Amino acid sequence: MAAEAQKIRLIRVPFAVGTSRPGNEQGADSFMEAGLGRTIRNLGWELTEEILSGEENVKEISRLLAERVRQAVEEGAFPLVLGGDHSVTIGTWAGLTNRSANLGLVWFDAHPTLLTADTSTTGYANEMALATILGKSGLNMPGTGRIRPENIVFIGLRDVQPSEREWIRAEGFTCFTMHEIDRLGIEKVVESALRIAGDGTDGIHVSLDADVLDPLEAPGVDSAVPGGLFFREAHFAFELLAESGLITSMDVSEVNPFLDEKRRTSKLISGLIASLLGKKIL
Ligand code: MG
């Protein structure tokens, strides 16, 4: 069970203004339709839900979301943010770190999202999410709180642009690409990730981009990249995160129900959220 919180504040962000294609705005609803609310309650959590509404740009959504996340933290609830595209992490992080909380970050994604206003060819914020949190994307966004590069861990990278590769090398971010996952196995990878993200921090935020999963099992994403995490590998990872008791918040993004097949992606992601929140086989 994740660190101490008995309450979950589930915040739906039904927008996809940080990306180019329609569909991500319905991601959060697709998890609820897959029964996520009931699953969370059945795990013993006290669940409150809210939905952001009425906003049309990433900056304003991020500002509102940060406020909601900050309130959830102050009430002692576990913030669970359901996007939307990956730009939801910008507002989430701003809210989490508002009171100078010192958090580690585990980033599950095929992409590092370290493009900037200069290096992105599309200009969409979901490609620049972590660069924005680090204050270096060139996007004008709500101020994010502290983030220490040594407590950031990537898991599942396999589509990295040259400028991102340079940045990762220069900054020394810990990256468990699919190569390291193949070599070490997901158990060692997650154990190392927990140690690194948890070193000297008050908790760990998990950011889950659905495209970290293999598109054979999770086809409902805009930026599908072959060669990702498989069903059991991903579940085992999230079960290990739950066992650690170190995870204090989570955001989920990049599910596009328009591209999904028989809700496979929504169901798989909902299952991973449940694993993180303590669901076990027995
Ligand atoms: Mg991605």
Side-chain angles (χ1 to χ4, degrees), residues 71 118 158 239:
Q71 286 170 4
D118 289 334
R158 57 196 186 278
E239 289 156 13

Side-chain angles (χ1 to χ4, degrees), residues 86 107-113 126 209-212 223 225 253-254:
H86 213 156
W107 192 276
F108 286 88
D109 197 337
H111 314 90
T113 72
N126 67 337
D209 180 322
D211 68 33
V212 76
S223 314
V225 188
S253 62
E254 299 285 334

Side-chain angles (χ1 to χ4, degrees), residues 126-138:
N126 67 337
E127 298 183 345
M128 310 184 218
L130 188 53
T132 302
I133 290 168
L134 289 160
K136 293 179 180 173
S137 69

